[in-house]
Amino acid sequence: MSVSGTPQLVFVHGIGGLRDAARERREWLTALAEGARAAGHADAVSGLTQGWLAEVRFADYSDLFTDAEAQGDGPGTLDEQEDAAFMTEFVGSLVDELVRQALERGDRRTAAVAEDARAQLPGDDEDEDDEEQGVGEPFRILGMVLTTLLQVPGLRETAQWASGTPLLWHLAQVGRYLRRREADGTGRTLDARIRERVLKGIDPDRPLFVVSHSLGTVVAFEALRGHRGPVPLLMTLGSPLATGTAVLQRLVPQPPRTPGRVERWLNFWDRDDIVVGRPRLDRWMLPNAAGVVPVTSRVDSDGLWVHTATKYLRQPGVAGPLVEALKK
């Protein structure tokens, strides 16, 4: 039973398949506990796992994507023209970022693979051949691009996708959310139903701490604009929010600004996280009335495939500030 005034901590997941909310809640908490110990907060571990430091919930909206998916390799709700354009832009930005990162590190092999992937991206000159290509051809090409990208040394072994096609369908969830369609029988669009999951059961009279990851950072950002209670800390991990026109310019409201009740916003990125654009979020996000803007910090995880929430949460630089804020 929750105690009146006990902080509320909500985890908001990102792209992927159907989730086991109870299991993932435990995994996120275990990772956070490891990070807390590394940050010198071993005394807070029992409070995290036993629930007296904060009432912890995992906001699971994965079924809203998977219920609408067709049996087979991908979702049956993609719009051929609109989603193809979005995914081409989005995947292109990921490839460009990987090329840039590899060149900065002097990693010529990774840069060569990423350049090969970039060369396969659909171009404007292919528009004239759309009828000959047939339905689904842009997605087939993008799947091949991502399959090539997965050949980066170390990425195939550590990533959770065997080929580019399932990765493409998971990345397409970002486009489906931002398209703001797929209404249910009551007229609520997919994005609205997802945001409702994030705030379901939240007491507006108690402080709310939000830890969001990947697509979940977009969801949390938009969900909090309608939240009336105090938000001492918003934490975004591996966020695509700063991905230029692909994501940033599709956010609501425009121009994007820090949600009104957020008192502090910490944004974390890993240089080896291919789903994250450059940390431009603080430059592109307007402050709220209290002057709050995101503060971005870089972390370095082991392995090339670092786009998992648990890898971020194990970092003492991530777990430390969260635990310190919960203790106040």
Side-chain angles (χ1 to χ4, degrees):
M1 179 178 295
S2 64
V3 179
S4 178
T6 301
Q8 303 163 105
L9 172 60
V10 61
F11 294 139
V12 189
H13 68 79
I15 61 172
L18 190 64
R19 295 170 183 268
D20 181 334
R23 178 179 61 80
E24 293 218 25
R25 178 184 178 277
R26 289 194 300 270
E27 291 176 353
W28 285 43
L29 275 174
T30 298
L32 178 57
E34 291 180 22
R37 290 191 188 94
H41 295 289
D43 59 316
V45 171
S46 61
L48 288 170
T49 56
Q50 296 177 18
W52 55 262
L53 185 61
E55 181 182 347
V56 184
R57 56 187 298 269
F58 187 90
D60 181 17
Y61 56 84
S62 60
D63 60 299
L64 297 180
F65 283 118
T66 56
D67 282 354
E69 290 180 355
Q71 298 298 316
D73 292 332
T77 55
L78 291 178
D79 177 89
E80 176 71 13
Q81 183 175 3
E82 184 175 352
D83 285 307
F86 172 83
M87 290 308 299
T88 298
E89 182 179 8
F90 190 45
V91 171
S93 68
L94 303 184
V95 174
D96 287 344
E97 190 60 38
L98 188 58
V99 172
R100 190 178 301 112
Q101 293 168 3
L103 292 176
E104 286 184 359
R105 294 195 304 268
D107 185 350
R108 295 182 179 179
R109 186 177 177 187
T110 295
V113 174
E115 289 281 12
D116 186 15
R118 181 159 61 184
Q120 300 174 47
L121 285 167
D124 294 337
D125 57 333
E126 296 181 10
D127 293 342
E128 299 176 357
D129 301 324
D130 282 348
E131 293 185 2
E132 297 181 7
Q133 289 178 352
V135 175
E137 182 65 10
F139 301 106
R140 185 188 70 82
I141 294 173
L142 289 172
M144 292 172 59
V145 170
L146 291 172
T147 296
T148 298
L149 205 62
L150 288 172
Q151 305 308 310
V152 167
L155 189 55
R156 174 175 290 280
E157 292 78 11
T158 55
Q160 64 193 79
W161 295 278
S163 71
T165 300
L167 172 56
L168 177 67
W169 299 140
H170 286 169
L171 288 174
Q173 292 174 355
V174 179
R176 288 176 60 190
Y177 175 87
L178 292 171
R179 188 150 38 94
R180 309 185 191 282
R181 298 180 190 169
E182 301 184 42
D184 64 5
T186 66
R188 296 175 305 158
T189 56
L190 175 64
D191 62 302
R193 284 177 282 145
I194 290 174
R195 290 193 297 274
E196 288 174 5
R197 291 283 182 92
V198 173
L199 297 178
K200 184 178 180 181
I202 295 298
D203 182 353
D205 294 325
R206 293 161 55 200
L208 173 63
F209 294 76
V210 180
V211 176
S212 56
H213 174 245
S214 183
L215 170 59
T217 67
V218 179
V219 174
F221 168 80
E222 293 196 341
L224 288 176
R225 76 174 186 264
H227 182 62
R228 300 300 176 224
V231 184
L233 178 62
L234 165 62
M235 189 170 282
T236 49
L237 315 174
S239 176
L241 275 167
T243 309
T245 57
V247 176
L248 190 73
Q249 295 183 20
R250 289 180 169 87
L251 297 176
V252 175
Q254 285 290 328
R257 66 174 60 247
T258 301
R261 298 306 303 273
V262 170
E263 300 169 15
R264 188 184 182 197
W265 182 350
L266 298 180
N267 179 55
F268 294 93
W269 73 290
D270 193 300
R271 186 180 66 176
D272 293 325
D273 189 344
I274 66 169
V275 182
V276 183
R278 279 298 182 201
R280 295 177 284 260
L281 198 53
D282 53 337
R283 305 179 210 166
W284 292 353
M285 190 68 58
L286 294 176
N288 60 14
V292 177
V293 293
V295 176
T296 296
S297 300
R298 172 180 155 184
V299 298
D300 293 298
S301 301
D302 295 329
L304 185 57
W305 183 255
V306 298
H307 189 67
T308 60
T310 51
K311 281 202 171 185
Y312 278 95
L313 289 170
R314 288 190 182 97
Q315 292 285 333
V318 175
L322 174 58
V323 172
E324 290 164 9
L326 287 170
K327 284 181 173 181
K328 291 181 179 179

